[in-house]
Amino acid sequence: LPFDQREGLIWFNGELVAWQEAKIHVLTHALHYASCVFEGERAYGGEIFKLTEHSERLVNSARLLDYEIPYSVEEIDAACRQALAAQGLSDAYVRPVAWRGSEMMGVSAQHNRINLAIAVWDWPSYFDPEQRLKGIRLDMAEWRRPDPRTAPSKSKAAGLYMICTLSKHAAERKGYADALMLDWRGQVAESTGANVFFVKGDVLHTPTPDCFLDGITRRTVIDLARARGLEVVERAIMPDEMEGFEQCFICGTAAEVTPVSEIGPYSFAPGEITQMLMEDYDTVVRPDRRGQLARSAAAAE
Ligand code: PMP
């Protein structure tokens, strides 16, 4: 069912409106000049995982685009919970989006209203579940993450997804599930919607997030790995180093922890560490199971 023809309620500038009525004008600044930022969150068992971190990142993403969302982090948290409850879902994807409206048309938009909407829908698996078990295959993207002097690269800004869509389309045309992007210096950066980790022995290696999103899932995985006594190294990773890594996975709110079996010419075998982190992530996101992880960490000490 197309997204604009679904049923339910969308939180829209402080009110719950009928799903199909949540519309904006064609002369919206965000549509023409990309003055839009968003979040992607997941609710598990009725609770949005790391909600406040997402709301804070949304506010910061907007500040990097030179605007202030007219709601506090606490109000955005409450609005996300309200939108989730209104859809009557306990496991769901939550999409807050903020944008400059249609009051002025042109590059300058000093007086445009800042809008906020939050939609919630069911999104069980980002990748085909069968592919996900074996590990997904990634293409090497042609597009590179921009130099932070070229774009507000730390903002989860809609405009930065243009190269992600292009890279993902090119990958899908070649039969891959997704693409790995390098950054402007030629270092490994991230996939089009998730961060990347490599495993060699008992050590995890992941690129330093200096020109791409420092994912909330990425930080969660680092904490989970360290709680298991694994070393995590954040550093610059050159593409030819991928030859020497044994396991690889990507992680993000939508993708969760997804094993990778191939990136261009390099192959990986989904292994024990990836499996353990997938399971630990599935545990930590669930409010009714989270305690188990604390207990197993305490037992290991
Ligand atoms: N990089 C990109 C480009 C993304 O779209 C996402 C998903 N928001 C991530 C990384 C992972 O971020 P998070 O774990 O906060 O969802």
Side-chain angles (χ1 to χ4, degrees):
L1 203 58
F3 268 86
D4 57 354
Q5 287 168 34
R6 298 186 176 200
E7 299 291 335
L9 295 166
I10 288 179
W11 190 99
F12 197 157
N13 287 332
E15 284 171 58
L16 288 170
V17 304
W19 188 282
Q20 296 179 27
E21 299 308 316
K23 292 178 181 166
I24 55 172
H25 197 268
V26 290
L27 295 179
T28 294
H29 192 270
L31 182 61
H32 295 248
Y33 302 104
S35 52
C36 174
V37 295
F38 66 100
E39 269 306 314
E41 307 165 358
R42 267 191 196 275
Y44 298 89
E47 194 184 284
I48 302 172
F49 184 61
K50 300 207 170 174
L51 172 59
T52 302
E53 284 181 46
H54 283 282
S55 299
E56 283 168 356
R57 187 169 68 185
L58 184 72
V59 166
N60 287 331
S61 289
R63 285 184 185 148
L64 290 165
L65 262 57
D66 196 29
Y67 62 86
E68 199 64 40
I69 294 176
Y71 301 95
S72 65
V73 167
E74 296 70 34
E75 288 168 330
I76 299 170
D77 281 357
C80 289
R81 292 196 185 99
Q82 195 189 350
L84 176 68
Q87 281 309 82
L89 294 170
S90 63
D91 283 15
Y93 183 79
V94 181
R95 165 58 59 84
V97 57
W99 69 96
R100 290 190 203 269
S102 44
E103 289 75 12
M104 283 174 73
M105 202 41 171
V107 171
S108 175
Q110 304 279 2
H111 305 297
N112 288 32
R113 175 178 183 171
I114 306 304
N115 299 275
L116 177 65
I118 304 161
V120 174
W121 65 87
D122 187 29
W123 194 355
S125 184
Y126 189 70
F127 293 104
D128 171 12
E130 228 162 272
Q131 262 189 33
R132 201 171 165 241
L133 277 181
K134 293 184 290 189
I136 57 164
R137 296 171 59 241
L138 304 184
D139 186 21
M140 289 293 292
E142 302 265 335
W143 294 95
R144 291 187 173 198
R145 299 291 312 175
D147 182 332
R149 293 167 299 186
T150 307
S153 51
K154 299 289 251 178
S155 175
K156 195 166 166 64
L160 290 167
Y161 280 83
M162 174 178 61
I163 54 173
C164 299
T165 299
L166 288 169
S167 302
K168 183 134 178 157
H169 282 185
E172 287 175 343
R173 272 196 292 275
K174 292 187 249 170
Y176 291 96
D178 209 323
L180 180 82
M181 305 180 80
L182 304 181
D183 71 12
W184 54 290
R185 296 162 294 200
Q187 300 172 4
V188 171
E190 58 171 357
S191 79
T192 66
N195 292 114
V196 67
F197 282 80
F198 300 95
V199 182
K200 189 175 180 183
D202 286 341
V203 182
L204 275 83
H205 301 256
T206 192
T208 310
D210 56 7
C211 63
F212 56 88
L213 218 58
D214 180 8
I216 292 166
T217 318
R218 176 188 182 279
R219 294 202 298 263
T220 305
V221 164
I222 290 176
D223 291 345
L224 291 170
R226 288 186 175 146
R228 288 283 186 184
L230 298 169
E231 189 185 344
V232 183
V233 186
E234 297 178 69
R235 63 177 179 89
I237 298 173
M238 295 310 289
D240 58 7
E241 286 185 64
M242 291 196 280
E243 178 86 59
F245 294 129
E246 293 143 11
Q247 301 171 46
C248 174
F249 61 88
I250 56 168
C251 68
T253 297
E256 302 174 302
V257 176
T258 295
V260 173
S261 61
E262 232 180 278
I263 302 180
Y266 308 105
S267 47
F268 311 94
E272 258 175 51
I273 290 179
T274 303
Q275 189 63 37
M276 181 175 75
L277 291 169
M278 280 175 87
E279 286 166 16
D280 283 358
Y281 187 73
D282 284 345
T283 305
V284 81
V285 294
R286 300 231 157 244
D288 57 333
R289 293 181 53 204
R290 198 166 294 146
Q292 294 170 13
L293 216 57
R295 281 193 293 280
S296 61
E301 270 168 19

